[in-house]
């Protein structure tokens, strides 16, 4: 039962960023999204992936790799929008 | 060294949501933030906290409790804004 909870936690936090990435891809709007949040979060997720690989913990590096994909999509659009705002 | 990486990952992903919460508190703007993302993320984080408590893993439940606070702030404001939009 408890392992099921751990897997659910990993899947939920892993896939939770996909709706945000889809919304950003559709609307290109990142006005209320914090750049600092996504920079720190992406670095943290990369650290988790390296940690999981070195410690050979597939649940850690797989879940975080899933999380990294949509997070980078949001971060990329936020950086693009910021550059456009400044130009 | 590897434990330092794990702690850094936990701290970074843990505190990364504070800038987003501060921005939302200051601006009340959640227009480009996905409700589905924060609902799924908060449920996932609560699952991690229960998992960490049951498995007696302080690094898991403490990091995720730190993450839960700003995430709930953002989720709360998103729900408030949605209700105002609908009324």
């Amino acid at each position: 039962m408890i392992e099921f909870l751990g897997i659910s936690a990993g899947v939920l936090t892993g896939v939770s960023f996909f709706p945000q990435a889809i919304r950003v891809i559709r609307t290109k709007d990142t006005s209320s999204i914090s750049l600092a949040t996504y920079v720190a979060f992406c670095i943290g997720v990369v650290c988790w992936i390296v940690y999981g690989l070195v410690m050979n913990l597939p649940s850690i590096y797989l879940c975080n790799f899933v999380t990294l994909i949509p997070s980078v999509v949001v971060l990329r659009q936020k950086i693009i929008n910021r550059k456009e705002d400044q130009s």
Side-chain angles (χ1 to χ4, degrees), chain A residues 29-63:
Chain A
D29 176 15
T30 59
S31 55
S32 52
I33 290 173
S34 162
L35 177 64
T37 282
Y38 275 83
V39 168
F41 188 72
C42 287
I43 295 170
V45 165
V46 168
C47 288
W48 275 126
I49 292 170
V50 173
Y51 179 81
L53 288 169
V54 171
M55 300 293 278
N56 197 21
L57 298 168
S59 59
I60 297 269
Y61 65 74
L62 290 177
C63 278

Side-chain angles (χ1 to χ4, degrees), chain A residues 12-13 44 47 55 58 60 67 71 76 80 83:
Chain A
L12 270 168
T13 46
C47 288
M55 300 293 278
I60 297 269
T67 303
S71 307
R76 179 181 164 275
I80 289 170
K83 280 183 182 165

Side-chain angles (χ1 to χ4, degrees), chain A residues 11-24:
Chain A
V11 169
L12 270 168
T13 46
V15 303
S16 61
F17 285 85
F18 279 92
Q20 183 67 73
I22 292 164
R23 186 186 183 107
V24 161

